[in-house]
Amino acid sequence: APEPGAGLRVLVVDDNQDAADSLAELLGALGYQPTVAYDPAQAIALAAASMPQVAILDIGLPGMDGFELAGHLRRLPDGAGLKLVALSGYGQENDKSRSRQAGFAAHLVKPINIAELQLSLA
């Protein structure tokens, strides 16, 4: 039977390669079409070539944080409708509030809860 996420293109951006690859594998198993970037420049290049429908962005990226990266992605052609999901080791209410104010649809805390992940992608 087709999975709920079948066909949804998801860009995963995390400088922790093992975490990014593991999340992409999980997304693939759940029926999504994941693409992985390990740094903001790679994420921008991938999104410019083929805009995903959802981007899961690690907030604590080196050089350019996830908030700044979100702005760059949104300014790309077709980026205005991009659904953003924040991924962070921090989950206090002020962290979640900052994500909402920055236009993220959801704020996931590491380690990711699979049910929350699926809810954020729905």
Side-chain angles (χ1 to χ4, degrees):
E3 296 292 330
L8 191 68
R9 294 181 321 277
V10 180
L11 174 62
V12 175
V13 185
D14 195 330
D15 59 308
N16 179 326
Q17 292 186 14
D18 289 337
D21 292 343
S22 295
L23 179 53
E25 282 186 39
L26 173 62
L27 289 167
L30 294 172
Y32 298 93
Q33 294 180 9
T35 304
V36 177
Y38 306 117
D39 62 64
Q42 184 184 20
I44 292 167
L46 287 170
S50 178
M51 183 59 66
Q53 293 159 295
V54 179
I56 301 174
L57 308 180
D58 181 17
I59 296 301
L61 294 167
M64 176 191 305
D65 69 21
F67 297 115
E68 189 178 349
L69 175 57
H72 283 281
L73 294 175
R74 284 261 167 92
R75 287 189 293 276
L76 290 173
D78 300 322
L82 178 64
K83 182 176 187 175
L84 298 169
V85 176
L87 180 60
S88 175
Y90 301 99
Q92 298 296 319
E93 188 50 45
N94 61 328
D95 301 310
K96 294 177 181 181
S97 176
R98 182 170 180 213
S99 294
R100 281 190 302 274
Q101 290 171 2
F104 285 82
H107 183 104
L108 301 176
V109 179
K110 297 176 183 181
I112 293 178
N113 175 298
I114 295 173
E116 288 179 17
L117 172 65
Q118 289 181 289
L119 247 157
S120 70
L121 296 175

